[in-house]
């Protein structure tokens, strides 16, 4: 089994049902989904699988990605901050943990996230942070 396959198996074991449907091709992947999965796989140290996600689903998101890049290249959007949604990454972490399939998996994710945040001197993100 390759490193990417091992990482995929680990990642899928923590995914909620919607994410599993996306990652197994039963639901259509969006650019937003790919961005979220890229962040999550990198955050949890699953870089090999994160790269293979783009190989597997890149064609599905190529058109909206090209449109977004073109839009961002236009000068009138140069100083827009809508793309820098404060708290977006933390929301992804909280949601991913919340939808893990078992209490044990949710607790393990919480510990991994908490450890990384403590190393940065930050408190664990919670849903209350996004109200």
């Amino acid at each position: 089994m390759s490193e990417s396959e091992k990482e995929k198996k680990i990642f899928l074991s923590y995914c909620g049902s919607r994410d599993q449907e996306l990652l197994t091709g039963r639901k259509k992947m969006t650019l937003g989904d790919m961005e979220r999965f890229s962040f999550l796989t990198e955050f949890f140290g699953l870089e090999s699988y994160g790269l293979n996600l783009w190989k597997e689903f890149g064609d599905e998101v190529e058109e909206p990605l090209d449109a977004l890049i073109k839009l961002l290249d236009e000068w009138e959007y140069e100083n827009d901050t809508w793309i820098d949604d404060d708290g977006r990454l933390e929301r992804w972490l909280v949601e991913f943990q919340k939808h893990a399939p078992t209490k044990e998996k949710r607790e393990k994710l919480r510990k991994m996230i908490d450890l990384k945040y403590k190393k940065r001197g930050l408190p664990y993100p919670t849903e209350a942070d996004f109200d």
Side-chain angles (χ1 to χ4, degrees):
M1 185 180 284
S2 73
E3 184 66 23
S4 179
E5 290 168 332
K6 290 176 191 173
E7 290 179 2
K8 179 179 182 174
K9 186 176 179 178
I10 292 167
F11 190 71
L12 282 173
S13 77
Y14 284 91
C15 287
S17 59
R18 181 181 180 277
D19 286 348
Q20 286 190 17
E21 288 178 342
L22 290 166
L23 294 168
T24 57
R26 290 178 291 189
K27 275 194 170 185
K28 184 167 173 44
M29 183 76 65
T30 67
L31 180 57
D33 294 324
M34 280 299 294
E35 184 180 12
R36 183 170 56 86
F37 288 135
S38 292
F39 167 73
L40 291 169
T41 54
E42 182 179 330
F43 184 88
F44 292 113
L46 305 171
E47 289 88 5
S48 181
Y49 178 53
L51 290 172
N52 276 336
L53 277 173
W54 282 97
K55 291 176 187 173
E56 187 174 348
F57 296 102
D59 290 344
E60 289 184 35
V61 299
E62 182 176 14
E63 189 175 320
L65 179 60
D66 289 345
L68 178 62
I69 290 169
K70 183 178 178 186
L71 179 69
L72 293 174
D73 283 343
E74 294 181 15
W75 67 269
E76 67 253 27
Y77 294 102
E78 191 173 299
N79 295 317
D80 274 2
T81 57
W82 63 269
I83 199 84
D84 299 319
D85 178 14
D86 289 341
R88 174 183 52 155
L89 304 178
E90 288 81 7
R91 274 195 303 276
W92 288 345
L93 288 170
V94 169
E95 287 294 313
F96 188 70
Q97 182 217 347
K98 180 180 174 181
H99 294 289
T102 66
K103 183 178 179 179
E104 178 184 90
K105 298 273 185 182
R106 289 188 293 275
E107 186 57 34
K108 190 166 182 179
L109 284 172
R110 178 174 173 67
K111 287 178 182 177
M112 287 189 285
I113 295 167
D114 192 41
L115 181 63
K116 286 191 176 236
Y117 270 71
K118 279 183 180 176
K119 284 181 181 178
R120 297 179 189 161
L122 299 169
Y124 183 86
T126 66
E127 289 184 79
D129 296 332
F130 315 120
D131 291 339

